[in-house]
Amino acid sequence: MAGFIDISQLRAFLEREGVRTAYIKKLSEKQDNEKNQIYFGSQLPGLINLFPARLSFREGSTSTQKRRSKAGQPIIEAKLNFAWLSRSGERFKAPHTKIIDYFQYPEVRMSGFLRDCTNPPDALRRENQRAYGQRVLVLGTGRDGTVLGLILTEREDSLVRAFPELPFVSSSGVLQILLVDQTGFEDPATILHREISAIVRQGWHWSRIMKPSGVKPFTGNQGGGYTLEALLGVVANADKKPDAHGFEIKSYSGSRISLMTPVADYGFEGEHSFREFMERFGRPSLKGDGTHRFVGLHRAGETCTGTGLAMRVTGYDPTTGTFDAENRIGVELFDADDGTIAAGWSIDKLANCWNAKHANALYIPAKCRIGERGGNEYAYGPTWVTGAGTDVFRLLRGIASGLVFYDPAHTIYADGKTKPRPQWRINSSRLPEAMQQLYASSQTATV
């Protein structure tokens, strides 16, 4: 196809690829630096969580001269499943693309996007970029989870010369947000606030689920979450993308809210089968029904009476709030008597689970009743909490403070069937406090 003429044409193109939210950066006239990297901002909170990625950690910062440098804190690398899009929609894999969070500077950069790509954008080549004039980078996640990139240029796309003003991801003024399924240019948080407010005011809603084929009644115990998603126009999914307008949406009704469910990747549980772990650390159910369970609330600095195990955050100094990359950073359940690590979660494991959906989040209470025609009905609010900008270090601090705790419900039933259920949770009564710790910014809203 020819170049993009207007923003509606760009939106239609991205929608065909399954992109719901696009991130825009107007590139500098010259390449951002001599390493063919693109500057994304000065360590934006949660920026590395905007795209599905495989996170890894390398040696910590050693700089003590740079302003705001965090010496010793590990550098995050987010490896992307990335492809450049041609204007006809053809994909060209760029297998070495990654986003790096350099804590020592501090800044975030995208790199490796030209290496071993069969047809990378010519406008990104340092020796050719001047011929293309102003350039605009467009990034978004396709329906298959691939992060897609597109370069618009002043030479090829008349849209570039009249590109609309869009809201920014943060106050840094680097990345802008384009909601593909909208017609205007409102901030995603504003749109979500308006949609949630309408749902709350409408009162009770019959239990439903949105599938690719349409909205259908739902009878399971997950109706509160599925109904809210359906009311927001979100197809029920098991993928790792946020639900609506870049936000993970969670409804809750009990005293505890589940955040994530990563399985331990080291210690006894990480190195043995589930049955072997339960044989050593599980206990017979108090009901005497033949089941074995591993249950109990585990908080950092405390010993759980149900399992006899204590919890600690390693590689972290709570007095200074700093992390030391020279030591293993993670969370461990351990036997205080003999030092055995029953279960351990590495920083890589926690980061990749937390990264999946939690860049932005909204939590809202839900009530349930039986409707006049039978079947469940749900009502939401009237108060909800949103958070924006997070990373694994905020999560680890939340665990170290006790606000985030481990509350497993592992079970082997009398008939031999197994049910692993790792759960990291917060108390709903402390939700605003937890959101303030887990996110760079949080807000409480009420209809």
Side-chain angles (χ1 to χ4, degrees), residues 322-363:
T322 58
F323 295 88
D324 183 2
E326 293 184 0
N327 296 307
R328 179 161 61 184
I329 300 174
V331 180
E332 296 175 350
L333 295 184
F334 66 100
D335 188 321
D337 293 330
D338 63 15
T340 299
I341 299 174
W345 293 262
S346 67
I347 186 173
D348 298 69
K349 181 75 173 187
L350 293 172
N352 280 289
C353 186
W354 187 246
N355 174 70
K357 283 193 171 187
H358 294 88
N360 305 300
L362 182 148
Y363 292 84

Side-chain angles (χ1 to χ4, degrees), residues 129-434:
Q129 59 192 0
R130 181 174 296 179
Y132 290 90
Q134 175 66 54
R135 300 163 301 147
V136 175
L137 170 66
V138 182
L139 296 172
T141 303
R143 63 174 57 88
D144 63 350
T146 302
V147 180
L148 303 172
L150 177 69
I151 294 293
L152 308 181
T153 72
E154 187 176 0
R155 189 179 84 177
E156 300 167 305
D157 307 281
S158 55
L159 166 62
V160 171
R161 290 188 290 274
F163 208 87
E165 289 300 319
L166 302 172
F168 287 96
V169 171
S170 77
S171 59
S172 71
V174 176
L175 282 184
Q176 295 174 291
I177 308 172
L178 176 68
L179 296 180
V180 173
D181 60 352
Q182 304 291 316
T183 56
F185 307 110
E186 285 186 283
D187 178 77
T190 301
I191 297 174
L192 184 61
H193 183 278
R194 183 169 61 246
E195 293 179 354
I196 291 290
S197 296
I199 290 170
V200 172
R201 292 192 182 101
Q202 288 163 7
W204 293 94
H205 305 268
W206 54 273
S207 182
R208 68 196 74 182
I209 185 171
M210 177 173 278
K211 295 186 175 182
S213 58
V215 177
K216 303 181 184 300
F218 183 80
T219 58
N221 57 13
Q222 295 176 291
Y226 283 138
T227 299
L228 182 57
E229 288 181 356
L231 293 169
L232 290 168
V234 177
V235 176
N237 62 82
D239 64 22
K240 295 184 177 182
K241 292 186 289 185
D243 295 320
H245 309 314
F247 281 77
E248 168 76 350
I249 310 296
K250 283 184 176 286
S251 65
Y252 63 92
S253 58
S255 61
R256 297 174 184 178
I257 303 172
S258 293
L259 299 178
M260 57 180 188
T261 57
V263 177
D265 61 332
Y266 72 93
F268 192 91
E269 186 174 14
E271 298 163 1
H272 295 79
S273 69
F274 178 72
R275 289 186 184 277
E276 289 172 323
F277 174 80
M278 292 295 290
E279 287 173 1
R280 177 159 180 180
F281 295 101
R283 297 185 179 184
S285 171
L286 296 178
K287 296 180 181 179
D289 56 4
T291 64
H292 271 67
R293 301 184 185 277
F294 181 80
V295 297
L297 194 154
H298 300 78
R299 276 197 171 95
E302 300 177 6
T303 299
C304 174
T305 56
T307 64
L309 299 175
M311 175 183 281
R312 62 192 173 201
V313 178
T314 61
Y316 173 67
D317 185 348
T319 59
T320 61
T322 58
F323 295 88
D324 183 2
E326 293 184 0
N327 296 307
R328 179 161 61 184
I329 300 174
V331 180
E332 296 175 350
L333 295 184
F334 66 100
D335 188 321
D337 293 330
D338 63 15
T340 299
I341 299 174
W345 293 262
S346 67
I347 186 173
D348 298 69
K349 181 75 173 187
L350 293 172
N352 280 289
C353 186
W354 187 246
N355 174 70
K357 283 193 171 187
H358 294 88
N360 305 300
L362 182 148
Y363 292 84
I364 187 168
K367 295 183 293 185
C368 179
R369 73 179 186 186
I370 302 298
E372 293 180 359
R373 300 180 181 179
N376 289 340
E377 294 181 342
Y378 296 94
Y380 303 92
T383 299
W384 62 92
V385 182
T386 58
T390 189
D391 56 39
V392 69
F393 301 108
R394 288 182 177 274
L395 173 65
L396 287 167
R397 290 188 180 99
I399 295 173
S401 73
L403 277 174
V404 180
F405 52 85
Y406 186 54
D407 186 23
H410 293 340
T411 305
I412 296 182
Y413 295 98
D415 61 3
K417 293 182 179 179
T418 63
K419 186 178 181 179
R421 196 176 179 185
Q423 300 176 123
W424 291 90
R425 291 175 151 184
I426 56 177
N427 284 325
S428 57
S429 61
R430 301 183 71 185
L431 176 59
E433 181 184 358

